[in-house]
């Protein structure tokens, strides 16, 4: 009996083969491209005047496209940004924050670097995630912070650099250096090592921190300017300056001994400043007293010699009278302050009589006052 394809053959109806059902669709069918193009043409003809591609319709389409293309040149510059306008890839101008306009792409394009923001770079330390504390913690980076000083000591320096883009160097910042942040970090580390290498460890750890910061900032600025980087260094801050962790305890003992030495030296200097002026004052006083005594002795000697000369001249004029006068004045000076007795030459005890100064026994009257003098003068009149 000959085989006939009745409804799919001898194995049943439908597009089946001898081993079961035929191929079936397992997903959505892809869209028909011709159908999509036909639908797009129909919608475009509905939008155009007259429902077909006329000259007026094409002009309207071109005008709309040109308007959209022209409006695409408006752009906004944020508060921390500066707009760098490029014309066919060449820097032509820089615009300030706000709404601005440039010729549409591809004639002009704009770059928006954050030129007004101060950035921070930390050297010798880095922030890492700490799951235990559920936050970020600071980790020391010894390969960046360990530096050699001028007296062949090692010091651990962690510092921070604050930098920004120069307002007039945005073009240099964008086109002269490929990795600005990496360049600033490398220059900062190199400048700090150079400054530390010229200094001794003691000033670095004590009072020369400000000087070192200024030196690093100036050296960094000169280096970046020589690169034409357009970067301005605003500040360098030394966060931690310590000896290496292996010798920090011994170094602190040395610092404590040095501090005690300076304290004792200051106390000795204070005592010297108090004692030396006092001794100099006493010495000056003694010299002044000796000078006064010398002047007094010289004056007395001159006076006595002059008196002796006068007396000698008078003595030559009347020797007997002068001799007697000298004798009486000498006896008066000798006996004036001694107890005196009068002896009349007898042999009995009554011959010795104490000398009574009658002038001293008589009470002296006080001098009259001004009122009494006026009364006496009035009574005599």
């Amino acid at each position: 009996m000959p085989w006939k394809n009745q409804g799919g053959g001898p194995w049943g109806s439908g597009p089946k083969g001898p081993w079961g059902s035929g191929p079936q669709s397992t997903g959505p069918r892809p869209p028909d491209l011709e159908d999509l193009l036909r639908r797009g043409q129909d919608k475009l003809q509905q939008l155009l005047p007259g429902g077909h591609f006329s000259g007026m319709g094409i002009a309207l389409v071109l005008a709309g496209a040109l308007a959209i293309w022209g409006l695409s040149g408006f752009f906004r510059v944020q508060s921390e940004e500066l707009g760098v306008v490029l014309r066919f890839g060449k820097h032509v101008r820089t615009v300030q924050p706000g709404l601005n306009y440039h010729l549409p792409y591809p004639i002009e394009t704009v770059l928006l670097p954050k030129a007004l923001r101060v950035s921070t770079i930390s050297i010798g330390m880095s922030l890492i995630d700490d799951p235990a504390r559920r936050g970020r913690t600071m980790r020391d980076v010894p390969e960046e912070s360990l530096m050699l000083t001028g007296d062949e000591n090692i010091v651990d320096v962690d510092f921070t650099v604050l930098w920004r883009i120069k307002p007039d160097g945005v073009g240099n910042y964008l086109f002269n250096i490929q990795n600005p942040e990496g360049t600033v970090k490398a220059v900062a580390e190199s400048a700090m090592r150079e400054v530390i290498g010229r200094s001794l460890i003691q000033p670095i750890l004590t009072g020369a921190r400000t000087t070192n910061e200024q030196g690093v900032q100036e050296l960094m600025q000169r280096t970046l300017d020589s690169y034409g980087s357009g970067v301005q260094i605003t500040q360098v801050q030394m966060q931690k300056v310590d000896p290496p962790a292996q010798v920090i305890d011994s170094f602190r003992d040395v610092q404590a001994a040095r501090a005690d030495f300076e304290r004792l030296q200051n106390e000795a200097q204070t005592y010297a400043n108090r004692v030396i002026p006092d001794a100099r004052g006493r010495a000056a006083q003694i010299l002044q007293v000796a000078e006064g005594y010398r002047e007094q002795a010289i004056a007395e000697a001159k006076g006595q010699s002059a008196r002796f000369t006068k007396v000698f001249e008078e003595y030559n004029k009347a020797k007997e009278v002068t001799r007697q006068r000298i004798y009486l004045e000498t006896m008066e000076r000798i006996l004036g302050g001694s107890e005196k007795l009068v002896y009349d030459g007898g042999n009995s005890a009554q011959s010795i009589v104490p000398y009574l100064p009658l002038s001293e026994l008589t009470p002296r009257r006080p001098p009259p006052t001004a009122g009494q003098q006026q009364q006496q003068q009035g009574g005599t009149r």
Side-chain angles (χ1 to χ4, degrees), residues 16 40 65 98 102 108 114 132 173-174 180 210-211 222 234 270 290 303 317 336 353 364 371:
K16 297 180 181 180
H102 67 86
E108 288 184 351
K114 297 185 180 299
Y173 173 80
L174 292 174
T210 303
T211 304
R222 289 198 303 269
T234 59
T270 303
K317 295 178 181 179
V353 181
R364 296 181 179 180

Side-chain angles (χ1 to χ4, degrees), residues 181-192:
E181 186 172 353
T183 302
V184 173
K185 185 174 182 179
V187 171
E189 184 177 349
S190 176
M192 180 61 74

Side-chain angles (χ1 to χ4, degrees), residues 10-321:
W11 296 280
S13 62
K16 297 180 181 180
W19 297 279
S21 61
Q24 299 180 359
S25 175
T26 59
R29 299 178 63 184
D32 190 355
L33 182 59
E34 294 181 357
D35 185 42
L36 290 177
L37 292 176
R38 189 179 303 109
R39 291 179 182 179
Q41 290 177 359
D42 294 340
K43 291 182 180 180
L44 185 59
Q45 288 177 0
Q46 293 176 2
L47 295 176
L48 292 175
H52 59 278
F53 286 96
S54 63
M56 181 64 69
I58 296 175
L60 290 176
V61 172
L62 293 177
L66 185 61
I68 295 174
W69 180 69
L71 292 176
S72 65
F74 286 98
F75 65 96
R76 181 178 295 276
V77 181
Q78 301 298 328
S79 59
E80 293 183 350
E81 300 173 342
L82 287 178
V84 179
V85 180
L86 307 179
R87 182 176 299 167
F88 298 113
K90 180 181 179 181
H91 179 207
V92 292
R93 67 182 185 276
T94 302
V95 296
Q96 299 297 320
L99 184 62
N100 297 275
Y101 181 80
H102 67 86
L103 296 178
Y105 180 85
I107 300 176
E108 288 184 351
T109 57
V110 63
L111 300 177
L112 300 174
K114 297 185 180 299
L116 303 180
R117 183 181 64 183
V118 177
S119 303
T120 303
I121 294 180
S122 298
I123 299 176
M125 51 188 175
S126 63
L127 289 175
I128 59 174
D129 295 331
D130 191 355
R133 298 183 179 179
R134 296 181 180 180
R136 308 186 72 184
T137 183
M138 189 69 68
R139 182 179 67 88
D140 193 18
V141 185
E143 57 270 17
E144 294 179 357
S145 60
L146 293 179
M147 303 180 185
L148 188 65
T149 64
D151 51 357
E152 298 182 355
N153 285 301
I154 297 178
V155 64
D156 189 359
V157 181
D158 295 343
F159 64 101
T160 303
V161 177
L162 305 179
W163 63 280
R164 55 170 295 180
I165 304 173
K166 292 182 178 180
D168 56 348
V170 182
N172 295 334
Y173 173 80
L174 292 174
F175 305 119
N176 288 354
I177 53 178
Q178 183 176 5
N179 184 8
E181 186 172 353
T183 302
V184 173
K185 185 174 182 179
V187 171
E189 184 177 349
S190 176
M192 180 61 74
R193 291 185 182 278
E194 181 175 347
V195 172
I196 294 298
R198 295 198 302 258
S199 305
L200 302 179
I201 187 171
Q202 189 60 36
I204 295 173
L205 298 175
T206 54
R209 174 170 298 190
T210 303
T211 304
N212 291 334
E213 291 176 349
Q214 294 177 353
V216 173
Q217 180 177 351
E218 293 174 358
L219 183 57
M220 287 185 63
Q221 192 64 61
R222 289 198 303 269
T223 305
L224 292 172
D225 290 343
S226 66
Y227 295 164
S229 62
V231 174
Q232 179 180 0
I233 304 300
T234 59
Q235 191 176 6
V236 176
Q237 298 176 348
M238 300 178 70
Q239 305 294 336
K240 184 189 72 172
V241 183
D242 289 325
Q246 296 81 355
V247 297
I248 190 171
D249 294 334
S250 300
F251 193 86
R252 287 175 178 173
D253 293 339
V254 173
Q255 294 299 314
R258 189 182 300 275
D260 293 338
F261 169 75
E262 293 178 356
R263 178 179 57 82
L264 295 175
Q265 188 176 15
N266 292 334
E267 291 178 356
Q269 187 65 35
T270 303
Y271 177 75
N273 293 337
R274 185 179 68 252
V275 172
I276 291 177
D278 188 17
R280 289 177 178 174
R282 290 199 300 268
Q285 181 182 4
I286 293 172
L287 290 176
Q288 291 178 357
V289 171
E291 186 70 21
Y293 175 75
R294 186 189 70 174
E295 297 296 332
Q296 180 183 358
I298 292 175
E300 290 180 354
K302 290 181 178 180
Q304 290 178 3
S305 62
R307 180 175 177 277
F308 179 81
T309 302
K310 294 294 184 181
V311 172
F312 182 72
E313 293 177 355
E314 297 297 329
Y315 176 77
N316 289 331
K317 295 178 181 179
K319 295 183 178 181
E320 188 63 28
V321 175

